[in-house]
Amino acid sequence: MPRLYLWCFMEQWTNYWQHTFSLNSFAEGKAAFGYNGELQRFWHKKMPNTVNDTNILDIGTGNGALAVLCYQYAASLRYSWSITAIDVADINPKKNKYEDVSINDALDYIEFFGGTAIEFTSFNDSKFDFLCSQFSLEYSNLILALPECVRLLKPGGKLCAVMHSERSHIVLDSKIGLEVLNVFLIKSDIFILVEKTLMLAEELLKRGEKVKGNSTFNLLNASLLKSVSILQQQVKNEENQHWFDSVIGVIAPLLYKLSIGNINIFTEYVKQLTYYRMRIIDQLDAVMNEKRIKEVNNILSRLSVQCSWSELIIENQYFGCILEARKAS
C-alpha cells in the first residue's frame, strides 16, 4: 500500500498525533500520558517473562503509549527487549518531550515506523515474540492483518489485543458524542452564524468601530443567541451534557471577548472538531461485534492458531474485549 495513500486515508489520525502530546487517543488527564492503575497491571500480566533477546511489536502505537509501557516494564526488571512500534498514520513520537524522564528514555529507545499498516509490513518472518495492540488492530482489514500477525510471530509467540467492543463505555459515549457533533457540524446552522458574527466583528474592529454599536452585528448576535438557546433545549440532556458543554465552552469566550484573530481561532477549532468527528466514526466502524469476532475466529482457525476472548473491566466499567492468540511451537 503506497505511503501517500496511507497518509491521505489516515489524515484525521496523522493530524491528531502531530498536534497532541497525548500518548494514546481518546484519553484525558493522567491517562493521556500512559497507562496506569488497573490497565497497567493488566498489560504487565500479559507481557513476556523472558529476560533477553525478546522482540516486541506494538501495533497502532500512536504516540507510543503501549510501547512505552513495554519499555518501562522491561527496564524495571532489567530485561533487554527490542521494541518496535508501527502506525498507519504519519507519526513522530520522538519529537515530544515529557516531564517523566522514563517516557523520554523509552521514546529514544523504541524504533518507530509511521505510515506502516499491519496488513503490509516488511519485517522478516517469525521476528517477534509478542505482538500487542490497544484499540488499533480492530481498525485494520482483519482478513489481511491476522495472517500477517501470524507470519510475524515466532513459533510459540503470542498476540494480545484490546479492542473496542459495542458494549464498552468508551464506545457508548462516543455514539452520544457523534450525535452532538453532527448537530453542530451538519444538522444546524450554529457554526455558520458564529462564523458570520466573528467575521463582521473582526471587520469592525479593524476599522476601529464599536462592534456592539453596529446594528447588523446586533441582529446577527441576537439570532445566534436565539439559535443556541433553541439548540440547547433540543440537544442538551444528562447523557450528552459534557459533549455539548465542551463545544460551547470553546465558542462562547470568542463571542464574549471579541478581538482580532478570533475568527482564525474558530476556523481552526472547527477543522479540529471535524477531524475529531472523523476519528469517532472510524472508532465506531472498528467496533468488534459478534460478526467480526466470528470472522476473527474463522481466520485464525484456518491458520491453525488457537485464540480466546475475554472482557476487560477497568474501574468497574466495561473497557473492551481482549483477543489472545498463540502461534504453535
Side-chain angles (χ1 to χ4, degrees):
M1 189 179 294
R3 184 180 176 84
L4 178 61
Y5 171 80
L6 288 176
W7 188 90
C8 293
F9 180 70
M10 297 299 290
E11 183 179 355
Q12 60 271 29
W13 291 100
T14 294
N15 174 271
Y16 176 74
W17 295 122
Q18 293 190 356
H19 286 84
T20 183
F21 281 91
S22 176
L23 291 174
N24 46 300
S25 62
F26 299 104
E28 299 177 353
K30 186 178 179 180
F33 300 103
Y35 302 147
N36 52 77
E38 293 179 39
L39 187 56
Q40 180 190 65
R41 291 191 290 274
F42 162 80
W43 277 114
H44 282 177
K45 290 179 181 177
K46 299 301 178 182
M47 290 179 190
N49 56 11
T50 49
V51 178
N52 298 316
D53 301 322
T54 299
N55 288 322
I56 310 291
L57 176 65
D58 177 22
I59 301 167
T61 190
N63 271 342
L66 189 48
V68 166
L69 183 64
C70 290
Y71 171 87
Q72 292 171 331
Y73 177 76
S76 69
L77 297 172
R78 297 185 180 179
Y79 289 175
S80 179
W81 289 356
S82 174
I83 303 172
T84 304
I86 64 172
D87 202 290
V88 70
D90 188 8
I91 58 169
N92 186 18
K94 291 182 183 289
K95 69 177 176 57
N96 297 330
K97 298 300 177 185
Y98 301 88
E99 291 184 6
D100 186 338
V101 176
S102 70
I103 295 177
N104 298 327
D105 290 343
L107 294 177
D108 288 339
Y109 179 85
I110 298 162
E111 192 170 12
F112 289 99
F113 293 90
T116 303
I118 185 56
E119 294 94 327
F120 309 97
T121 75
S122 57
F123 301 121
N124 293 335
D125 292 357
S126 304
K127 177 178 175 63
F128 298 101
D129 299 273
F130 184 57
L131 306 186
C132 56
S133 169
Q134 180 161 309
F135 299 150
S136 177
L137 184 59
E138 65 271 36
Y139 286 77
S140 68
N141 180 336
L142 295 172
I143 294 175
L144 299 175
L146 291 172
E148 183 69 357
C149 287
V150 174
R151 182 186 75 79
L152 294 175
L153 280 173
K154 294 179 182 179
K158 182 180 177 181
L159 162 69
C160 182
V162 174
M163 299 178 166
H164 287 300
S165 171
E166 55 188 350
R167 294 190 295 109
S168 76
H169 74 278
I170 296 173
V171 168
L172 295 176
D173 185 57
S174 291
K175 288 180 179 179
I176 295 170
L178 182 59
E179 291 178 4
V180 174
L181 294 183
N182 283 343
V183 169
F184 279 104
L185 291 166
I186 299 172
K187 297 180 179 179
S188 76
D189 63 351
I190 291 293
F191 281 180
I192 294 173
L193 288 172
V194 172
E195 183 179 36
K196 288 181 178 179
T197 304
L198 292 176
M199 286 183 68
L200 177 58
E202 180 141 327
E203 290 174 9
L204 295 170
L205 288 168
K206 286 180 177 179
R207 294 203 299 262
E209 299 181 24
K210 290 184 178 181
V211 176
K212 295 186 179 179
N214 183 278
S215 58
T216 304
F217 174 84
N218 290 335
L219 285 172
L220 263 176
N221 195 45
S223 177
L224 176 58
L225 291 173
K226 182 179 179 181
S227 295
V228 171
S229 178
I230 293 172
L231 187 65
Q232 188 171 16
Q233 293 174 19
Q234 292 176 342
V235 176
K236 189 174 178 180
N237 56 46
E238 187 175 344
E239 278 191 333
N240 64 30
Q241 181 171 347
H242 70 286
W243 285 95
F244 185 89
D245 290 347
S246 67
V247 176
I248 294 297
V250 173
I251 297 170
L254 300 176
L255 295 164
Y256 292 151
K257 191 175 182 180
L258 296 167
S259 62
I260 294 174
N262 280 10
I263 183 61
N264 293 332
I265 295 171
F266 173 72
T267 300
E268 179 62 24
Y269 176 64
V270 173
K271 175 184 174 182
Q272 294 304 324
L273 208 60
T274 300
Y275 278 134
Y276 190 17
R277 176 180 174 272
M278 293 167 68
R279 294 197 303 273
I280 290 177
I281 291 173
D282 287 344
Q283 180 206 59
L284 297 178
D285 286 343
V287 164
M288 297 302 294
N289 51 32
E290 287 187 15
K291 180 180 179 181
R292 296 195 80 204
I293 289 174
K294 185 177 180 180
E295 179 184 28
V296 169
N297 291 340
N298 289 337
I299 294 170
L300 292 177
S301 177
R302 289 195 296 270
L303 295 168
S304 300
V305 173
Q306 293 184 339
C307 70
S308 63
W309 294 89
S310 56
E311 297 181 347
L312 180 57
I313 308 297
I314 300 294
E315 297 179 356
N316 298 317
Q317 289 186 311
Y318 182 29
F319 190 73
C321 58
I322 307 163
L323 168 66
E324 295 182 80
R326 187 177 295 277
K327 187 174 181 178
S329 299

